[in-house]
Amino acid sequence: MDTLIASPKHISPELSPCHVRISKQLPELRALEQRIKMKIFHIPCLEDNYAYLVIDETTKEAAVVDPVEPEKIIEAAKQHGVNLTTVLTTHHHWDHAGGNEKMKEMVPGIKVYGGSLDNVKGCTHQVENGDKFSIGAHVNVLSLHTPCHTKGHISYYVTGKEGEDPAVFTGDTLFVAGCGKFFEGSAEQMYQSLCVTLGSLPQPTQVYCGHEYTVKNLLFALTVEPSNVKLQQKLAWAQNQQQAGLPTIPSTIEEELETNPFMRVDLPELQELVGFNDPIEALREIRKRKDNWRG
């Protein structure tokens, strides 16, 4: 989706076995590039936020998710040669919606989507759970109501052509190995949002969240499940990414079901670790521990 395999511009006359294999694969690689219609690019904002460009490669139309720093967004759009038509706002907090009005000034006519229950600045198109729309010709968007962090929080499930992995932009509901604070909702709502709504998406779905919190989230998750080998492995990987100045995002729904304690509360073994035999009570307890954690 956001990573293409670059084809070599030329093949040396002195072909190694590796080069021969690559040359035989070139038609397949080109076919792969032709099939990929959706690209996603990170745009780091503020201290640890991410905005994202979502591009339909066939029309060069693009949406931006949570454009808190509009000047950066406009520059990124120019670099990628795309026409910005849409803003996808996950929720009303200033570090996600605070750039919407400026985006409307800089890109006249741009559509700004936001949850109907959130007071999203600059919103022109209110959406509710199940609403669908598209970006360009091949990028389809499904709005998913994922409340708790805010009452009107929307996650956007995005699909391209058949064969491409889908993506979901989860704002501050689902983080890599974590979840948002329960500012405007309850543990019951967060359970529904994480474990039912998002947890039921196809497991290869790429998860793009609103903040780079991964290493801290994984360190906390290990206090809940210290024997989880997948967690240990992902922490080592995330620390390497952080040291290299690279993002730890996207994750996948499959990885979150393996490593995110907030999405694992249906498991009896996790419930036993936190002392509750009910998934919602287990989720409430883990959030309480995270709120008090000073790791």
Side-chain angles (χ1 to χ4, degrees), residues 254-265:
E254 180 178 20
E255 289 178 36
E256 294 310 299
L257 292 171
E258 293 173 339
T259 59
N260 189 328
F262 298 97
M263 292 189 75
R264 291 169 58 77
V265 292

Side-chain angles (χ1 to χ4, degrees), residues 1-232:
M1 181 178 4
D2 57 334
T3 304
L4 290 178
I5 303 171
S7 302
K9 293 182 180 178
H10 64 274
I11 303 294
S12 168
E14 298 178 2
L15 290 176
S16 68
C18 178
H19 286 140
V20 172
R21 287 197 302 273
I22 291 174
S23 65
K24 288 181 179 178
Q25 292 171 358
L26 280 177
E28 297 175 13
L29 298 181
R30 292 194 184 103
L32 172 64
E33 291 180 0
Q34 290 169 3
R35 287 200 305 271
I36 294 175
K37 301 301 182 186
M38 176 170 65
K39 284 186 180 179
I40 297 172
F41 294 96
H42 302 68
I43 305 174
C45 294
L46 306 178
E47 184 178 343
D48 53 31
N49 282 66
Y50 284 118
Y52 300 99
L53 270 185
V54 186
I55 300 171
D56 176 11
E57 277 295 288
T58 56
T59 63
K60 292 297 182 181
E61 292 181 47
V64 59
V65 182
D66 291 346
V68 64
E69 293 192 71
E71 292 80 5
K72 281 189 178 180
I73 309 309
I74 299 298
E75 181 59 31
K78 288 179 181 176
Q79 289 177 0
H80 291 290
V82 298
N83 177 31
L84 276 173
T85 63
T86 307
V87 170
L88 306 178
T89 314
T90 59
H91 62 294
H92 68 78
H93 289 163
W94 74 270
D95 59 326
H96 296 262
N100 287 355
E101 295 285 9
K102 185 69 173 178
M103 284 296 301
K104 289 170 70 176
E105 291 177 17
M106 299 177 76
V107 186
I110 196 167
K111 293 175 283 190
V112 179
Y113 289 85
S116 63
L117 299 179
D118 258 11
N119 183 24
V120 171
K121 281 192 175 181
C123 185
T124 63
H125 291 67
Q126 291 189 342
V127 291
E128 298 183 17
N129 189 62
D131 285 351
K132 298 178 181 179
F133 53 96
S134 47
I135 302 156
H138 296 292
V139 177
N140 298 306
V141 184
L142 172 65
S143 303
L144 299 174
H145 185 211
T146 51
C148 183
H149 186 68
T150 69
K151 65 182 179 181
H153 194 293
I154 297 290
S155 295
Y156 296 94
Y157 178 68
V158 181
T159 54
K161 294 285 281 184
E162 186 177 350
E164 292 185 81
D165 287 337
V168 63
F169 297 90
T170 58
D172 286 2
T173 292
L174 170 61
F175 297 123
V176 180
C179 74
K181 292 185 177 182
F182 301 179
F183 284 137
E184 297 180 15
S186 64
E188 287 82 1
Q189 285 182 314
M190 187 59 86
Y191 176 80
Q192 179 74 27
S193 294
L194 290 179
C195 302
V196 180
T197 302
L198 297 174
S200 65
L201 295 177
Q203 291 201 5
T205 302
Q206 306 279 300
V207 176
Y208 291 88
C209 57
H211 293 269
E212 183 61 74
Y213 291 163
T214 304
V215 169
K216 286 186 176 180
N217 284 346
L218 288 165
L219 286 168
F220 170 76
L222 278 169
T223 71
V224 179
E225 287 191 282
S227 300
N228 185 326
V229 175
K230 296 275 190 183
L231 258 178
Q232 297 165 2

